[in-house]
Amino acid sequence: MTTIIPVPSNTPELNVSPRLLLGPGPSTVDPRILRAQTTPLLGHLDPWFIELMDHTQELLRYAFQTENRFTIPISGTGSAAMEAAVANMVEPGDGVLVCASGYFGLRLADMAQRYRGNVKIITCPWGQVFKEEEVSEALKSHPSKVVCIVHAETSTGAKQPLDQIISIAHAAGAIVIVDAVTSLGGIPLFVDRQDIDVCYSGSQKCLSCPPGMSPITLGERAVEKLTARKTSVPNWYLDLKVVQQYWGKERTYHHTAPISNVYGFYEALRIVAEEGLENRWQRHRKNAELFWNGLTEINLSCHVEEKYRLESLTTVRVPENVEEPIVRSLLLNEYNIEVGGGLGELKGKVWRVGLMGYSSRRENIILLLAALKEILKN
Ligand SMILES: *Cc1c(COP(=O)(O)O)cnc(C)c1O
């Protein structure tokens, strides 16, 4: 007699509450993108699909503001693109400087160590940003081939100025990896003009697409470093030389592209292009200001000083004598609004409110402020 493991019981139908996603990601998905994702599948080497890949790359170059040929979406979430950047750029023994102003900077450092870079980490208080002197000092004491830095630190709500740090790194002979997961499509980012060597992002933050695709672009210096590698990339799935052969002219099979994710990502990029980057940046700015002003009116304050405050993610200080998780669960259960809690150093001290992509709308802000006011009786 063969026995069979029985069918599990209690597997309910998918029937979810219509949440308003105002946390650190995913953001609310534009219905157009959800529709695009239900388009019938094509084979991943179908001429139609291959054409769609080309168009996706063109739109991605626009979003990144780059002419880099090497501009592709990685199959995986933002951390996959982060790991692709590190795995391909860091060779064992390479000096690597990681500027960690928060949780995601520390994740970069962890990855650089796993790929056996000779890693130095500099930190700053969570909610602040690095000054160029701190980077130049660190590079003097720790000569580096790679500098990693986060543009929009989703864990702290701080926006890191990049231009001077990039010049300093280049003058010291290093290439720069910029994490733009929470900036692409939300705040100004010019990969070519800012001379960024490797830049990556994710689909579910300011692009308002479901998680699952993560774009990356490599400039000339980065491609040279990749070509000059003495050792092969110790990660098969994310070896960009091989991934590029699939996205490039050769179309050599590497892995099956997640077709439906590419459909959605393509639509998300079309929406960015339709709105126009400048308009999109302005919308994020205007709505962030509306939110920040509204917070003041209900006696709440922001954790980051205005000059470095990130439009796409605001860290709101939790007032004394308020139970942070209780407010968050009331928002979720009574108002269907998701916001994030603090991470690491900021755990219990802040709420993280994302106004990203499709979520960055006036009506959402008014609703969230009203809900907070009701809950806190402010
Ligand atoms: C969300 C995020 C990531 C990681 O992306 P996942 O999609 O969660 O893998 C990396 N960096 C920053 C700044 C992020 O906000």
Side-chain angles (χ1 to χ4, degrees):
M1 268 289 281
T2 52
T3 56
I4 185 163
I5 296 174
V7 173
S9 52
N10 295 320
T11 47
E13 190 189 342
L14 271 179
N15 184 14
V16 301
S17 272
R19 305 284 199 218
L20 177 55
L21 300 178
L22 300 180
S27 54
T28 306
V29 175
D30 189 316
R32 275 176 60 181
I33 298 172
L34 292 175
R35 268 201 309 276
Q37 286 198 326
T38 63
T39 305
L41 286 209
L42 292 169
H44 73 117
L45 294 172
D46 189 297
W48 270 75
F49 188 70
I50 284 176
E51 215 175 283
L52 184 70
M53 289 165 74
D54 288 338
H55 293 315
T56 304
Q57 286 181 286
E58 285 162 29
L59 286 165
L60 197 49
R61 289 190 188 100
Y62 167 70
F64 270 129
Q65 287 293 292
T66 184
E67 290 178 348
N68 288 339
R69 202 179 66 85
F70 201 127
T71 304
I72 60 172
I74 301 279
S75 308
T77 67
S79 305
M82 182 192 280
E83 185 146 359
V86 172
N88 285 269
M89 288 300 114
V90 175
E91 278 198 89
D94 277 359
V96 181
L97 174 66
V98 180
C99 309
S101 55
Y103 181 88
F104 292 103
L106 293 173
R107 180 174 291 182
L108 272 162
D110 184 1
M111 288 185 185
Q113 279 158 345
R114 287 168 192 246
Y115 287 96
R116 297 174 40 219
N118 173 13
V119 179
K120 180 184 172 77
I121 306 171
I122 56 172
T123 57
C124 66
W126 286 33
Q128 294 182 23
V129 297
F130 291 102
K131 304 273 176 297
E132 51 269 28
E133 304 84 65
E134 296 170 85
V135 176
S136 59
E137 281 308 306
L139 284 172
K140 273 181 207 138
S141 67
H142 187 80
S144 299
K145 292 193 175 163
V146 180
V147 172
C148 304
I149 194 156
V150 177
H151 185 205
E153 208 8 296
T154 322
S155 63
T156 70
K159 178 169 64 177
Q160 173 68 54
L162 294 171
D163 294 359
Q164 273 148 332
I165 290 176
I166 291 170
S167 317
I168 288 167
H170 286 161
I175 62 140
V176 183
I177 297 177
V178 171
D179 178 316
V181 176
T182 297
S183 51
L184 182 72
I187 65 171
L189 173 75
F190 297 89
V191 167
D192 284 1
R193 201 192 300 168
Q194 294 182 285
D195 210 6
I196 300 171
D197 302 298
V198 181
C199 192
Y200 61 84
S201 188
S203 53
Q204 79 274 26
K205 312 265 167 117
C206 299
L207 300 176
S208 279
C209 185
M213 296 303 285
S214 53
I216 189 167
T217 183
L218 269 65
E220 245 168 67
R221 288 186 203 88
V223 171
E224 269 169 33
K225 189 167 191 326
L226 180 59
T227 313
R229 279 187 75 107
K230 293 188 197 70
T231 55
S232 58
V233 174
N235 183 317
W236 184 87
Y237 196 70
L238 298 173
D239 183 339
L240 290 177
K241 269 196 221 167
V242 198
V243 176
Q244 170 67 5
Q245 283 170 16
Y246 173 52
W247 279 89
K249 290 232 161 23
E250 300 88 342
R251 305 292 178 188
T252 315
Y253 165 70
H254 175 255
H255 66 277
T256 310
I259 311 290
S260 313
N261 289 2
V262 177
Y263 289 158
F265 191 59
Y266 172 68
E267 189 64 7
L269 292 172
R270 263 169 39 92
I271 292 169
V272 171
E274 240 172 61
E275 183 175 7
L277 281 172
E278 294 105 317
N279 291 337
R280 204 170 166 94
W281 295 333
Q282 249 173 42
R283 170 166 63 84
H284 280 78
R285 178 76 207 172
K286 207 173 101 199
N287 286 334
E289 282 173 356
L290 181 72
F291 180 55
W292 299 338
N293 292 336
L295 285 172
T296 315
E297 280 168 27
I298 56 170
N299 300 314
L300 290 172
S301 63
C302 295
H303 176 65
V304 178
E305 70 170 293
E306 183 143 16
K307 189 171 172 203
Y308 301 115
R309 203 178 291 159
L310 187 54
E311 290 84 349
S312 43
L313 188 120
T314 303
T315 36
V316 181
R317 286 212 175 111
V318 177
E320 302 256 342
N321 307 322
V322 168
E323 300 272 0
E324 184 278 315
I326 293 179
V327 175
R328 213 155 19 99
S329 78
L330 282 173
L331 279 173
L332 192 68
N333 297 319
E334 308 286 323
Y335 302 84
N336 265 319
I337 301 174
E338 178 184 271
V339 303
L343 278 180
E345 277 183 26
L346 295 176
K347 191 170 163 51
K349 297 187 180 145
V350 297
W351 292 295
R352 292 186 299 149
V353 176
L355 295 173
M356 304 178 187
Y358 193 73
S359 285
S360 169
R361 306 167 83 83
R362 185 170 182 273
E363 62 266 34
N364 294 347
I365 295 160
I366 290 168
L367 181 63
L368 174 62
L369 288 168
L372 280 170
K373 189 172 164 162
E374 247 179 43
I375 294 170
L376 297 169
K377 304 186 175 59
N378 277 13

